[in-house]
Amino acid sequence: MNTREFRRPVLCLLISLLMLMFSAPLCFSEDAPTKSGQAELLWYGQSAFRLTTLSGKVIVIDPWILKNPKTPANLKDLDRMGKVDLVIVTHGHWDHIADAPEIAKKNNVPLWGPGDLNQTLTLLGVLPPQQLPRFNKGGTINPFPGVKITAVHAEHSSIYVAVNPATGKDYPYPGGEPVGFIIELENGFKIYHAGDTSLFGDMALIEQLYKPDLALLPIGGHFTMGPQDAALAVNQFLKPTYVIPMHYQTNPYNIGSPEDFVKYLGKSKTKAIVLQPGETIRFDAAKKMAGIQPAEK
C-alpha cells in the first residue's frame, strides 16, 4: 500500500470520529431532558397537571384523574405517567387530592401539601410520615437543583374526606388552609398554579413578589372565580405573559367557559391559551411558548 492509499482511509476515519463527537450528546443523565430542553405541561382536566421541567424532573399537581370526567379515557391509567419525581396538592378537596397518595406510593416520592393537611394524612396513615413533608404559605422548598416551589395564599376552604374506620362511613377531617403554588423552573420561568380560589386583592402582591410568566387560573365559578373575576385577576393584578384557564365544566355548578374568559380578557397584554384535556404545551429555555401537542389517542 502506498502512502496516498494509506492516508485516505485514515482521513475518512478521523472525519467520521469528529462528526460523531459533535453530533452526539456530551453527557448523559438519569433524568433525560425534555425535547430540546423545553418545559412541558400536560393538562388532565380540572386542576390536574403533569409538569416536566427542563432537566426532566416530573411534578404532578392536584391529580384528580381516574374519576375526572374531563380526563381522556386513555390517560386514566396512573402507570402511563411514567416516572414521577414529586406530587404537590393545593388543598384537601377530593377533586384535587384524589389520586395523589397512589401516585406518591407508586413512585416512592414525597407528597407536599399544606402543613395541616399533611398532618391529617400522616395521622390517618394515608402514607408513611417521610412521604408527607409539610410547609405552608410563604414557605419555599427546593426539591431539585434549580427548581423552587413557594406556597402562596388562596381564598377557599379545605377538608379531607375519608372513611371513618369506626363507622365505615365517609367523615370530614381537617384539611388545613388552601394554598396556591409559585413553581420556578431551572431557567427562571415561573408558573402560578392558583389552586381553588376566589378573587383577592393580594394577587397584586403575588405579581410584585414573583412576577409569574404563566398563570393557571380557575374560571368555573360557584366554588371558585368565574370567567369575569379571573380576567380581572389577570389584567389588574397578575399580568402574566400567558394564562391557561382550568377548573371548569366538570360538574353542574362550575359552568364558566373559556370563551367567556377570553371575552372578558378583552385586549389584554396576556396571551390566553385554551387547552383541551390531554394536550401538552411546551415552553422553551427562553420562556417562550414552543407549541401545543395534541392529546394522544
Side-chain angles (χ1 to χ4, degrees):
M1 180 183 291
N2 61 36
T3 304
R4 180 175 295 177
E5 290 173 330
F6 174 76
R7 286 176 178 171
R8 183 172 297 168
V10 172
L11 182 59
C12 289
L13 178 61
L14 288 173
I15 291 172
S16 298
L17 287 172
L18 286 171
M19 291 177 66
L20 181 62
M21 288 172 60
F22 286 101
S23 63
L26 295 179
C27 61
F28 296 88
S29 169
E30 181 181 349
D31 298 305
T34 56
K35 182 179 179 181
S36 303
Q38 297 172 349
E40 296 182 349
L41 194 65
L42 183 153
W43 186 42
Y44 289 94
Q46 198 75 337
S47 301
F49 290 87
R50 185 188 72 197
L51 169 64
T52 306
T53 77
L54 279 75
S55 63
K57 295 295 186 182
V58 176
I59 302 170
V60 174
I61 311 164
D62 279 3
W64 179 43
I65 297 169
L66 297 182
K67 295 185 178 181
N68 185 337
K70 290 291 186 179
T71 302
N74 64 317
L75 292 181
K76 292 188 176 186
D77 177 355
L78 300 184
D79 291 330
R80 285 205 61 179
M81 284 186 169
K83 174 184 69 71
V84 173
D85 299 291
L86 182 69
V87 182
I88 57 177
V89 296
T90 58
H91 63 292
H93 289 160
W94 199 243
D95 58 332
H96 294 257
I97 197 174
D99 302 309
E102 183 62 24
I103 294 168
K105 187 181 300 182
K106 277 179 175 289
N107 292 274
N108 193 29
V109 298
L111 190 171
W112 283 89
D116 292 349
L117 170 62
N118 276 24
Q119 183 69 51
T120 291
L121 299 179
T122 299
L123 294 174
L124 290 174
V126 173
L127 285 171
Q130 63 269 23
Q131 284 185 264
L132 290 167
R134 295 179 290 155
F135 73 147
N136 222 317
K137 298 174 186 180
T140 299
I141 61 173
N142 302 89
F144 319 114
V147 175
K148 295 193 297 186
I149 302 175
T150 301
V152 296
H153 184 70
E155 197 64 50
H156 194 58
S157 60
S158 179
I159 59 170
Y160 180 75
V161 176
V163 174
N164 184 328
T167 64
K169 297 180 180 179
D170 283 349
Y171 184 84
Y173 294 90
E177 290 198 8
V179 301
F181 293 119
I182 298 291
I183 306 169
E184 182 174 348
L185 303 184
E186 297 91 341
N187 62 341
F189 187 74
K190 295 175 183 175
I191 302 169
Y192 171 41
H193 188 296
D196 276 3
T197 190
S198 63
L199 180 66
F200 60 96
D202 282 352
M203 286 181 175
L205 286 178
I206 291 175
E207 190 280 329
Q208 181 181 339
L209 288 170
Y210 305 106
K211 301 191 183 313
D213 300 286
L214 167 65
L216 312 175
L217 298 183
I219 66 162
H222 195 81
F223 295 110
T224 70
M225 293 188 293
Q228 188 169 12
D229 284 358
L232 191 154
V234 168
N235 289 335
Q236 297 296 320
F237 297 143
L238 296 167
K239 303 174 185 176
T241 305
Y242 306 100
V243 62
I244 296 175
M246 64 176 187
H247 200 282
Y248 60 88
Q249 297 180 2
T250 53
N251 63 54
Y253 302 103
N254 61 350
I255 60 174
S257 71
E259 293 79 13
D260 282 344
F261 175 61
V262 171
K263 179 185 73 175
Y264 285 121
L265 276 177
K267 296 180 179 180
S268 176
K269 294 181 179 179
T270 297
K271 178 178 177 58
I273 304 166
V274 178
L275 293 180
Q276 297 302 312
E279 288 186 333
T280 300
I281 186 168
R282 294 192 177 101
F283 295 90
D284 63 24
K287 307 181 186 180
K288 300 295 183 183
M289 178 179 164
I292 296 175
Q293 176 180 321
E296 296 180 9
K297 301 299 183 182

